[in-house]
Amino acid sequence: MKAIYLVTTILFLAFVSCQSQSVKTSIDASTFNTKMTTLKNAIVLDVRTPEEYTNGYIGKALNIDYESDAFEKEISRLDKSKTYLLYCESGGRSKSALEVMHEQGFRNVFELNGGMEKWVDSKLPVSTKPD
């Protein structure tokens, strides 16, 4: 009887684990824009280099360079209860940054599939700082 209970419990936990991993975290530009404008606690993170950020960014994005030695330390200071919308130039760094954030316990993290390139292709607004 204990063996049946153990097998049932293991199968249930495996099912729940697979279900929780099926949450779509890579989103298209339109969905990213909708989340950015409708979620009150959403924070947009640009994980590109400061030079790339200066050339144009999305919304009021914070810039935390994924390639910086301080990336994980800076991310660890963020509020884990917020929703984060990540992007880079083409999607590679933001996918990696999302994984780092999940490892640190962030659960509401989405990344822009195709990055800034897809954002611009979708003709969505790009912000720049005045000179």
Side-chain angles (χ1 to χ4, degrees):
M1 189 63 145
K2 286 183 180 180
I4 292 173
Y5 177 75
L6 181 62
V7 169
T8 304
T9 302
I10 290 171
L11 289 173
F12 174 76
L13 291 174
F15 174 77
V16 169
S17 175
C18 288
Q19 290 296 320
S20 67
Q21 291 176 3
S22 69
V23 173
K24 186 173 181 182
T25 57
S26 184
I27 56 178
D28 63 34
S30 177
T31 304
F32 190 98
N33 188 45
T34 299
K35 286 183 178 294
M36 182 177 72
T37 57
T38 61
L39 297 176
K40 291 181 181 180
N41 74 340
I43 296 172
V44 180
L45 287 181
D46 183 324
V47 298
R48 300 176 301 159
T49 65
E51 295 78 22
E52 290 172 303
Y53 178 81
T54 301
N55 291 328
Y57 52 92
I58 297 173
K60 296 178 180 176
L62 293 170
N63 181 225
I64 302 178
D65 183 358
Y66 176 74
E67 295 174 347
S68 164
D69 291 338
F71 178 77
E72 288 191 38
K73 184 177 182 180
E74 289 183 50
I75 291 297
S76 70
R77 294 179 180 149
L78 299 175
D79 183 347
K80 289 179 175 65
S81 70
K82 304 268 184 185
T83 297
Y84 293 91
L85 304 169
L86 312 177
Y87 71 94
C88 62
E89 191 61 31
S90 61
R93 288 173 283 180
S94 58
K95 280 183 178 59
S96 297
L98 181 139
E99 290 174 14
V100 169
M101 292 180 79
H102 276 184
E103 288 168 7
Q104 288 192 14
F106 291 85
R107 293 294 165 242
N108 298 314
V109 185
F110 301 89
E111 67 93 19
L112 175 57
N113 187 17
M116 190 68 151
E117 291 172 359
K118 289 294 184 184
W119 184 266
V120 171
D121 287 348
S122 297
K123 303 204 182 332
L124 291 163
V126 175
S127 300
T128 55
K129 291 193 185 240
D131 291 330

